[in-house]
Each structure stands twice: as C-alpha cells, then as structure tokens.
Amino acid sequence: MPGLPLQTPALRLRHFVPDDAPRVMILNNEAATRRWLPSHAYADLDEAAAAMAHLIACCSSPGDPRLGPYVLGIEHRESGTLLGHVGFSPLDDEVEVSYAIAEQARGRGYGTEALAFACRWAAATFSLPRIAAITACANLPSRRTLERAGFAHARTELMRFQGTEQTVCRYAWLAESSGAGNETKH
C-alpha cells in the first residue's frame, strides 16, 4: 500500500494540518454531525484548533491506532476542499473506525470510497486483521455506507454512545475478505 497522502479516484486522504481547524469546526457543526456525533462538535475556533493539534500530534505519538487516535482528513482531489475525516482509534482490544463527510458532499459515494480505501490502508500499514465500527442503529445512512465499504453487521446492543444510552449497531470489517495487503505497490 502507498504511504500518505493516499489518492483514491476522487479523494486525497492526508494528515490534518493546523490550518484545517476552521474548516473542521464548520464541518463538525453541521446538523447531521451534531445529531449523530455530538462529541465532535466544537464550541469555537480555539476548541477546534486544540482538537486538531491533539489529532495531529497523535499521528506521530503514538502513531498507532491501537494506542491512540490516527485521524486523516478527506479532501476532494479536484477542488482541494476538505470534506471530512476518517479515523482509527483503540476500542477495547480492537481498532474502531469513525468517519464523516460534509453534508453538501453526501450522496456521491465519497464516504464509501474514503472508508474502504482507508480501511485497506490501515489494515496493511498497522497489521490490523479486523476493524470495528459502531453507529446508532437509527443512523441509516451511516449503516448503508459501512455496508457498501465491506463492513458486516456483527450485533445490535444497548450502550452509552455519544453521551446517551442508545441502541447501536456494531460492524466488523475483515482484512482477509477485503484483499487488504494484496494491493500492488506503486
């Protein structure tokens, strides 16, 4: 697998930079993100900048999603516009993926493209045989994106998620069934 930045047909997956904070603050304050991922909404630019600095630092220390967050920006290749994020972080004894795409860019397959490519890259780069995902069961667009990206529904459970007790769907992505690690290096 290639190193960063990653190029997909329509997107570039790259490390965040401090200048991304204003755009990330806007993206994370969109209605859908506030509804489904309220922990990602920032009160002001200072809070967004601090969160970005933390995420940027975590990509080098610890630099491993089994030990801390490893979050990449999703950028539209043609326009250079930051559209969202895809990130990996520890969850119990496995790695969980999270993702978000700007509301104005939804419905074009960008979430699926970013998620599928990032999971193959993370599996190959960090030797991850499995990646987990958790979403509110009521979040049907997220569930469809996970399934299109090769995730299989593992179970439904009641848990504290994004600050409230709710029914969530757990998904699993398996590297061996996705062909991760079998790609030709360029």
Side-chain angles (χ1 to χ4, degrees), residues 18-37:
D19 288 345
D20 289 329
R23 178 73 176 146
V24 169
M25 186 179 80
I26 291 167
L27 292 171
N28 287 7
N29 280 307
E30 291 181 334
T33 302
R34 284 193 323 270
R35 177 178 180 194
W36 300 115
L37 297 171

Side-chain angles (χ1 to χ4, degrees), residues 44 57 80 136 148:
D44 55 35
R148 282 192 304 269

Side-chain angles (χ1 to χ4, degrees), residues 65-88:
R66 293 169 291 214
L67 304 174
Y70 200 101
V71 183
L72 303 173
I74 301 170
E75 182 179 275
H76 188 262
R77 280 180 66 173
E78 192 173 300
S79 70
T81 302
L82 187 65
L83 300 177
H85 80 274
V86 60
F88 302 90

Side-chain angles (χ1 to χ4, degrees), residues 6 18 20-21 25 29 39 72 76 81-82 95 125 151 166 171 178:
L6 307 173
D20 289 329
M25 186 179 80
N29 280 307
S39 67
L72 303 173
H76 188 262
T81 302
L82 187 65
V95 170
T125 302
F151 281 77
Q166 58 184 296
Y171 285 82
S178 74

Side-chain angles (χ1 to χ4, degrees), residues 122-161:
T125 302
F126 300 106
S127 300
L128 302 174
R130 171 186 159 97
I131 297 172
I134 300 174
T135 190
C137 288
N139 189 346
L140 295 178
S142 181
R143 294 176 62 191
R144 285 192 296 270
T145 299
L146 287 165
E147 290 163 4
R148 282 192 304 269
F151 281 77
H153 183 260
R155 69 181 183 272
T156 299
E157 64 185 84
L158 183 65
M159 68 178 283
R160 188 156 187 80
F161 180 71

Side-chain angles (χ1 to χ4, degrees), residues 6 12 27 33 45 49 51 57-58 66 91 104 114 117 183 186:
L6 307 173
R12 180 178 298 111
L27 292 171
T33 302
L45 187 53
C58 285
R66 293 169 291 214
L91 175 69
Q104 43 79 335
F117 201 90
E183 292 84 358
H186 301 299

Side-chain angles (χ1 to χ4, degrees), residues 1-3 124 181-186:
M1 285 298 291
N182 298 327
E183 292 84 358
T184 304
K185 293 188 180 196
H186 301 299

